[in-house]
Amino acid sequence: QVQLVESGGGLVQAGGSLRLSCAASGNTFSINAMAWYRQVPGRQRDMVATIASGGSINYASSVQGRFTITRDNAKNTVDLQMNSLKPEDTAVYLCNAVTLRRGHFYNDWGQGTQVTVTS
C-alpha cells in the first residue's frame, strides 16, 4: 500500500494561485499513475489532472490552461500548480495513486487538502 500526504491548500482570492504537493511513501515502486481529484460536499469526486508514469498528462476541461500537474518519480511527489483560480475551484483536493499489486490495480488516496477561492 502507498501512503499519500497532501499539503499546500488554503484560502485565496479569485485570480490568485496556489500550489499543492503530494508526497508518497510506502510501496512507491508499485505506483503507476498519479492524479489530483477534487470533491465538494454532496457531489461526486471529480478528476482534475492525471499523470502517468511515462509522463502523459490529462486535464479536466474546466482546468485546462490554468492548472499544471508535475511529477518527480525520484522523490515520489506530484504537484498541482493552480493559477487563475475561480470560486468554482473551491473543493477538497485529494491526491491519488494507482498502484499495481499482485497483478491488480488499486487506488490509494490521501486525506485531502481544502482549497477555498473567494470572489
Side-chain angles (χ1 to χ4, degrees):
Q1 192 173 359
V2 171
Q3 293 76 46
L4 302 168
V5 178
E6 303 98 336
S7 61
L11 180 68
V12 65
Q13 286 189 329
S17 298
L18 281 175
R19 186 175 184 89
L20 306 183
S21 294
C22 173
S25 61
N27 295 329
T28 56
F29 61 87
S30 65
I31 295 176
N32 191 306
M34 298 191 78
W36 286 94
Y37 283 71
R38 65 188 181 187
Q39 188 166 24
V40 175
R43 298 182 61 180
Q44 69 178 20
R45 188 172 293 181
D46 292 326
M47 185 276 291
V48 176
T50 67
I51 183 165
S53 56
S56 61
I57 292 172
N58 284 297
Y59 294 102
S61 57
S62 59
V63 307
Q64 183 80 45
R66 299 187 298 121
F67 290 12
T68 302
I69 188 171
T70 56
R71 179 175 175 177
D72 188 327
N73 290 327
K75 295 181 179 179
N76 296 308
T77 59
V78 61
D79 291 351
L80 185 69
Q81 177 65 43
M82 305 185 295
N83 299 328
S84 302
L85 283 161
K86 304 175 181 180
E88 52 264 42
D89 294 318
T90 296
V92 174
Y93 283 71
L94 301 108
C95 181
N96 166 264
V98 178
T99 57
L100 179 62
R101 305 196 292 269
R102 296 182 296 279
H104 296 279
F105 287 102
Y106 295 88
N107 279 295
D108 292 315
W109 297 93
Q111 290 192 332
T113 185
Q114 177 70 44
V115 171
T116 302
V117 184
T118 60
S119 57

